[in-house]
């Protein structure tokens, strides 16, 4: 039984370290964060953290993948299997994007990029190559599915998918800056996003 508990504990540790890292980044930023303090937050020895992540960059890269990339990839697969109408599938997909990027602890990752990305361009590239590419792939999958069913205009794939992602990123930046002054009502915002896009691309 003890060995089983230890195995389970060890399997959970990467997630616990990522949780601790996000808390550290939220408090002091990326450049000022230390692996020693992250280890302390995670309740492990300083030397132990390096068994999982070679350095701080490897740790934040793992956070990008775990909190965003994997979620979007899984959602894209789920959307591809959905038999619902395009608007319904699109709404579900956008809701996931907003929940993951805007309303979760992953917002800390975007905060790091906005504040410190110029100092760490490799982090910008990593976020783009994990989170944003996975989100774009998910969007493309849903649009191609709607197109194949005859629900969308024939030229829908000619448009830049950044037009679909832009409101999500704006909402995230808004939450980091103006949310307390002028809060976004997220459900209403999502519904507006869905309506604006669907009114432009659905067949009549």
């Amino acid at each position: 039984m003890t060995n089983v508990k230890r195995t389970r504990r060890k399997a959970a540790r990467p997630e616990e370290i990522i949780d601790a890292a996000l808390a550290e980044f939220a408090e002091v930023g990326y450049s000022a964060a230390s692996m020693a303090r992250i280890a302390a937050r995670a309740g492990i020895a300083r030397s132990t953290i390096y068994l999982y992540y070679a350095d701080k960059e490897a740790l934040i890269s793992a956070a990008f993948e775990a909190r965003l990339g994997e979620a979007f990839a899984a959602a894209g697969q789920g959307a591809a299997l959905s038999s619902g109408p395009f608007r319904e599938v699109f709404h579900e997909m956008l809701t996931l994007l907003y929940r993951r990027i805007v309303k979760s602890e992953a917002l800390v990752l975007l905060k790091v990029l906005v504040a410190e990305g110029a100092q760490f361009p490799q982090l910008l590239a990593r976020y783009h190559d994990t989170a944003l590419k996975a989100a774009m792939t998910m969007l493309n999958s849903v649009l191609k599915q709607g197109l194949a069913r005859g629900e969308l205009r024939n030229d829908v794939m000619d448009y830049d998918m950044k037009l679909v992602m832009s409101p999500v990123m704006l909402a995230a930046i808004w939450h980091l800056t103006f949310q307390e002054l002028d809060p976004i009502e997220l459900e209403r915002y999502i519904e507006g996003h869905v309506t604006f896009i669907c009114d432009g691309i659905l067949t009549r």
Side-chain angles (χ1 to χ4, degrees):
M1 180 63 72
T2 301
N3 287 338
V4 171
K5 286 182 178 179
R6 286 177 179 171
T7 300
R8 287 176 180 169
R9 174 68 175 162
K10 187 174 182 180
R13 196 162 281 158
E15 280 294 309
E16 293 171 355
I17 294 171
I18 288 173
D19 287 341
L22 291 175
E24 177 78 0
F25 298 153
E27 185 174 318
V28 303
Y30 176 75
S31 59
S34 77
M35 294 290 274
R37 285 199 303 270
I38 293 170
R41 286 179 185 270
I44 59 177
R46 179 176 180 174
S47 59
T48 302
I49 196 171
Y50 292 102
L51 299 176
Y52 296 88
Y53 303 105
D55 52 30
K56 197 164 54 174
E57 184 176 337
L59 176 49
I60 197 171
S61 294
F64 290 153
E65 183 63 35
R67 292 294 186 270
L68 297 168
E70 290 177 4
F72 297 156
Q77 292 171 0
L81 297 174
S82 175
S83 59
F86 175 81
R87 185 185 179 103
E88 179 182 307
V89 175
F90 187 64
H91 191 285
E92 291 175 358
M93 183 200 64
L94 278 186
T95 297
L96 173 74
L97 282 174
Y98 279 100
R99 296 299 180 200
R100 287 288 183 169
I101 294 178
V102 179
K103 293 294 287 182
S104 77
E105 61 188 1
L107 189 61
V108 171
L109 298 171
L110 185 60
K111 181 180 179 181
V112 165
L113 295 182
V114 171
E116 305 180 65
Q119 297 173 255
F120 303 100
Q122 71 276 18
L123 297 186
L124 291 174
R126 185 62 177 164
Y127 186 88
H128 177 271
D129 291 345
T130 53
L132 292 186
K133 276 194 175 179
M136 295 293 190
T137 298
M138 181 173 67
L139 285 170
N140 270 284
S141 175
V142 171
L143 290 173
K144 286 179 180 178
Q145 178 177 295
L147 185 61
R149 293 177 179 176
E151 296 180 81
L152 306 184
R153 288 169 33 176
N154 290 331
D155 62 349
V156 66
M157 301 309 297
D158 295 337
Y159 292 96
D160 192 330
M161 290 300 102
K162 297 183 190 71
L163 292 170
V164 182
M165 278 296 297
S166 294
V168 182
M169 302 309 292
L170 172 62
I173 298 298
W174 195 277
H175 269 72
L176 289 171
T177 52
F178 304 120
Q179 185 64 9
E180 292 187 8
L181 296 172
D182 186 9
I184 286 178
E185 298 175 30
L186 197 59
E187 295 303 324
R188 182 177 173 221
Y189 188 94
I190 294 171
E191 188 60 41
H193 188 174
V194 171
T195 298
F196 278 135
I197 296 298
C198 287
D199 282 356
I201 66 176
L202 286 174
T203 55
R204 302 297 180 186

